[in-house]
Amino acid sequence: MQRLAERQGVQPVVAAMVPRLFRLVHRRQDTADTFTIQLKPTDGRPLGFIPGQFTMLSAFGVGEVPISFSGAAHLGGLLQHTVRDVGAVTHALARASVGELLGLRGPYGTGWDVADGRDGDVVFVAGGIGLAPLRPAVLEVLSHRQRYGRVVVLYGTRSPPDLLFADELKRWEGQGVEVLVTVDHGTPSWTGRVGRVADLIARAGFDPGSTLALVCGPEIMTRFTAAALVERGVHPDRVRVYLERNMRCGVGLCGHCQYRELFVCVDGPVLPYARVADLLGVREL
Ligand SMILES: Cc1cc2nc3c(=O)[nH]c(=O)nc-3n(C[C@H](O)[C@H](O)[C@H](O)COP(=O)(O)OP(=O)(O)OC[C@H]3O[C@@H](n4cnc5c(N)ncnc54)[C@H](O)[C@@H]3O)c2cc1C
């Protein structure tokens, strides 16, 4: 398979490794460990992207990590990322204050291509922070709501305080979206569902024969959910999954994210389930 280095020559690849400077202009704490930041390019050049793509985001002096876009693809020059604080770099991003400069490379990777779902039903299935990479695709569908049939969002998270974008989920319901939420562990005040997100597939109202399904979450959740969608009758080519693998360069050079013939950073992260079903569950070294 021809890699980016061969396709573009060495110079453009070197250039692609140099981050652009973005200023942190807004920060919101979503849950105890998850926050959303808005970034503005310091050179005034807007950065376009398609829903599902990601950037390599750097906290200077600490490191660089892949983070998906979580905002609408047309936010007037501002980029939005929703990040869970899990380790060194995401912790440094969590500590960054409004006004600070961050580095950003990209956009990279494949998109959800929700336009393929036109005239049919679209089902989004998110686990935990997986709602963030799906959000730009949901917003794109809602901006052309009349072009789609039934739109369903199935969302599962650890516990009620971990629910992301809770107000927005309510708003989406008002825009003709069937939203079903479940948690792994309830709290005394929680009156909603408790259980796995994959179990919601049997309850949701969609026509499997005309459905495009987009799945994003922890890999074990993705595996069970994609299998449940196929069992319900969605064609494996019409189920798209988001593979999150450890990656370093983001441009198909270093091989950290390679699985079989796939470099997840350039061939993914969005891939048809039919193509990667056997890779889900393969442990990273
Ligand atoms: C294409 C892509 C898009 C992503 N989008 C988002 C996003 O929108 N929001 C978000 O919060 N996170 C996202 N991630 C995961 C994020 O990149 C990792 O959480 C981050 O790299 C951890 O770095 P760290 O230095 O903070 O933690 P580390 O100290 O490196 O690791 C902390 C823990 O996170 C695990 N981890 C490290 N890198 C990854 C990785 N790439 N994927 C999964 N687990 C990892 C480690 O195994 C370890 O258990 C995405 C990952 C990929 C590949």
Side-chain angles (χ1 to χ4, degrees), residues 54 64-69 81-91 129 132-133 242-248 269 284:
F54 65 98
E64 191 179 42
V65 287
I67 299 290
S68 321
F69 294 99
H81 287 301
T82 300
V83 186
R84 177 176 284 164
D85 178 357
V86 292
V89 180
T90 49
H91 192 50
I129 185 88
Y242 204 86
L243 285 194
E244 278 198 7
R245 300 293 182 166
N246 281 313
M247 37 181 88
R248 294 283 177 271
E284 283 187 282

Side-chain angles (χ1 to χ4, degrees), residues 26-249:
H26 188 262
R27 187 188 184 289
R28 181 187 71 211
Q29 194 68 33
D30 296 306
T31 69
D33 63 3
T34 303
F35 57 96
T36 296
I37 51 178
Q38 284 191 350
L39 304 174
K40 189 176 179 182
T42 55
D43 59 10
R45 279 189 300 128
L47 186 99
F49 68 93
I50 53 173
Q53 286 191 302
F54 65 98
T55 66
M56 295 300 295
L57 198 55
S58 36
F60 293 116
V62 186
E64 191 179 42
V65 287
I67 299 290
S68 321
F69 294 99
S70 69
H74 43 76
L75 201 64
L78 292 187
L79 299 179
Q80 183 169 310
H81 287 301
T82 300
V83 186
R84 177 176 284 164
D85 178 357
V86 292
V89 180
T90 49
H91 192 50
L93 295 171
R95 284 194 315 253
S97 331
V98 170
E100 264 186 53
L101 290 178
L102 300 174
L104 190 148
R105 295 191 287 121
Y108 296 132
T110 51
W112 293 109
D113 288 336
V114 277
D116 284 357
R118 275 184 199 174
D119 303 323
D121 297 349
V122 187
V123 177
F124 299 90
V125 193
I129 185 88
L131 189 56
L134 278 172
R135 184 171 173 267
V138 176
L139 296 178
E140 185 168 312
V141 166
L142 289 180
S143 67
H144 305 286
R145 180 66 190 85
Q146 71 288 356
R147 295 182 188 162
Y148 296 86
R150 279 164 288 195
V151 179
V152 178
V153 172
L154 309 178
Y155 177 38
T157 191
R158 289 172 298 192
S159 67
D162 295 312
L163 276 175
L164 270 184
F165 311 130
D167 293 342
E168 198 159 5
L169 290 167
K170 288 202 189 86
R171 265 207 306 282
W172 291 348
E173 277 184 305
Q175 292 174 267
V177 178
E178 181 187 2
V179 178
L180 300 180
V181 175
T182 186
V183 297
D184 294 336
H185 310 285
T187 52
S189 60
W190 175 251
T191 54
R193 295 175 195 82
V194 176
R196 298 184 317 168
V197 70
D199 297 338
L200 297 178
I201 288 162
R203 296 163 174 259
F206 62 90
D207 169 15
S210 79
T211 289
L212 177 70
L214 312 177
V215 182
C216 188
E219 201 155 301
I220 187 158
M221 166 262 168
T222 300
R223 185 148 55 104
F224 282 113
T225 301
L229 285 160
V230 170
E231 198 178 319
R232 171 121 185 227
V234 185
H235 194 281
D237 278 333
R238 303 278 293 162
V239 177
R240 293 190 186 139
V241 299
Y242 204 86
L243 285 194
E244 278 198 7
R245 300 293 182 166
N246 281 313
M247 37 181 88
R248 294 283 177 271
C249 73

